[in-house]
Amino acid sequence: MAQEIKISVIMPVYNVEQFVGKAIESIQNQTLKEFEFLIVDDGTPDQSGKICDEYAQKDPRIQVFHKENGGAPSARNLAIDRARGKYMYFMDSDDWAEPTMLEDMYRLAEEHHAQLVVAGFYIETYYNDTEYVTTELSCPDRVFQTQREFRENAYQLFDKNLLYTPWNKLFLSQYLLDNGLRFPQTWMDDFPFNLMVIREVEKVVVTSKKYYHFMRARAESETARYRDDLYPKREEEHSWMLDLYGHWQVSNEPSMEMVSRRYIERVIGCLENVTNVNCTLDRKGRRAAIREIIRNPRVSEALKTARPRSAYMKLMLLPVRWKNVTLCYYEGKVISWVKTKNVKMFAKLKAGR
């Protein structure tokens, strides 16, 4: 019966045959049993869909939908339209969750009549097949009593990367449905979806407990990747953040500092992207791209407000402050080298920035 389903767990699946079994079993092993598990095979070319079907045959709580490839947003949205649970939880198919996650988050949501529960999580960055470095992210337990209180303190959650992803959250289904909230069909759809969720949210609970294990495996493919649209995407994201805080009418110093620091850190990432070994631009084109980035007036404005928290981030920002294209170019090359040759060091530096 629909009223017996406490949580609808939603998971898109694509090219994860090595990992999807562990993801499914981590949900099956939850201490909360009253869930439905909606798995969407997004036209995967490997055996992932078949594996999911095999689990569904043995567990009536699992439903598998097969569709043509359309991306994770379309897969999640298909499941949202079919979900019957009071709450929704979004899982990635190559990660796994601790067994008490759903029960603990459900209890908090019910106790505080929350529209959104936010938990901590683990990032496990693999630098070979068996070794990895773990980063733990969380904020102290807190129940935000008012919408204003949440808005004025959201910078703390942004700083701990807790407001970017869907898989460390439990969402009240009625809140999503009443506001027509769906995942936008875009690259990195998680972030704009979460911004839409928190834009008008009123009842938010944060738990310091960590449950979700985000597997930053496949490090070689991640670190070698070049995206020709990364800089425009980062500019778009910064506009979203400015729009959000403008809508919230929040301009306190900690919030504005966070927005500026977040932007300027991602500018450094854009410099690395331009100098990536797989960048399709020639040397002249790379220098022109760097010049465009560091001479953007937004960069100068952000540098006035941002307060980098590590010595090496302060050091990396010097060439940007000086608007020195050559130094920025070689800085990007160094970052790219560390990112590809020493994933462990890169993960630690990124976590401590």
Side-chain angles (χ1 to χ4, degrees), residues 38 53 60 79 130 136 187 198 204 211 247 254 324 335-336 351:
L38 308 181
D53 286 335
T130 58
E136 301 183 15
W187 172 49
I198 67 173
V204 181
Y211 305 101
H247 175 74
N324 189 307
I335 297 171
S336 190

Side-chain angles (χ1 to χ4, degrees), residues 168-324:
N168 67 318
K169 300 175 179 66
L170 190 68
F171 303 84
L172 180 65
S173 298
Q174 202 60 51
Y175 177 73
L176 298 185
L177 298 174
D178 287 350
N179 290 280
L181 299 177
R182 299 293 188 277
F183 286 84
Q185 194 65 35
T186 181
W187 172 49
M188 295 196 296
D189 58 299
D190 295 359
F191 184 40
F193 173 76
N194 280 297
L195 290 185
M196 289 188 288
V197 169
I198 67 173
R199 190 175 181 89
E200 302 296 347
V201 73
E202 297 180 21
K203 301 174 182 178
V204 181
V205 177
V206 177
T207 174
S208 59
K209 292 183 178 179
K210 300 174 285 290
Y211 305 101
Y212 193 84
H213 293 257
F214 170 59
M215 312 297 283
R216 190 174 279 160
R218 284 75 63 202
E220 294 177 3
S221 62
E222 281 297 316
T223 55
R225 183 174 299 171
Y226 162 72
R227 292 191 179 275
D228 59 5
D229 59 345
L230 181 63
Y231 176 57
K233 188 67 178 181
R234 294 309 190 195
E235 286 296 306
E236 182 181 33
E237 288 180 354
H238 189 50
S239 296
W240 293 340
M241 289 292 285
L242 294 175
D243 175 72
L244 177 69
Y245 274 89
H247 175 74
W248 282 354
Q249 296 183 340
V250 171
S251 58
N252 58 47
E253 192 277 333
S255 297
M256 295 299 96
E257 190 280 330
M258 177 278 297
V259 172
S260 294
R261 177 163 37 83
R262 179 191 179 280
Y263 171 67
I264 209 68
E265 287 173 353
R266 282 154 180 78
V267 165
I268 297 296
C270 291
L271 297 180
E272 184 279 325
N273 184 63
V274 170
T275 59
N276 187 288
V277 65
N278 290 323
C279 177
T280 55
L281 300 172
D282 60 18
R283 184 182 177 89
K284 183 177 180 181
R286 295 183 187 200
R287 290 178 63 87
I290 291 171
R291 187 176 296 107
E292 177 188 1
I293 293 170
I294 63 178
R295 292 187 179 178
N296 185 334
R298 279 182 164 181
V299 172
S300 298
E301 287 300 312
L303 286 170
K304 294 176 185 177
T305 309
R307 300 290 179 266
R309 297 186 173 184
S310 65
Y312 76 87
M313 180 55 71
K314 293 177 182 177
L315 183 65
M316 285 194 291
L317 286 178
L318 287 178
V320 181
R321 291 183 185 278
W322 298 333
K323 295 182 172 54
N324 189 307

Side-chain angles (χ1 to χ4, degrees), residues 319-336:
V320 181
R321 291 183 185 278
W322 298 333
K323 295 182 172 54
N324 189 307
V325 174
T326 300
L327 288 179
C328 286
Y329 176 84
Y330 285 109
E331 175 177 276
K333 296 285 284 186
V334 170
I335 297 171
S336 190

Side-chain angles (χ1 to χ4, degrees), residues 335-346:
I335 297 171
S336 190
W337 184 87
V338 173
K339 191 176 180 182
T340 54
K341 300 299 183 182
N342 196 327
V343 177
K344 183 178 181 180
M345 179 184 293
F346 180 77

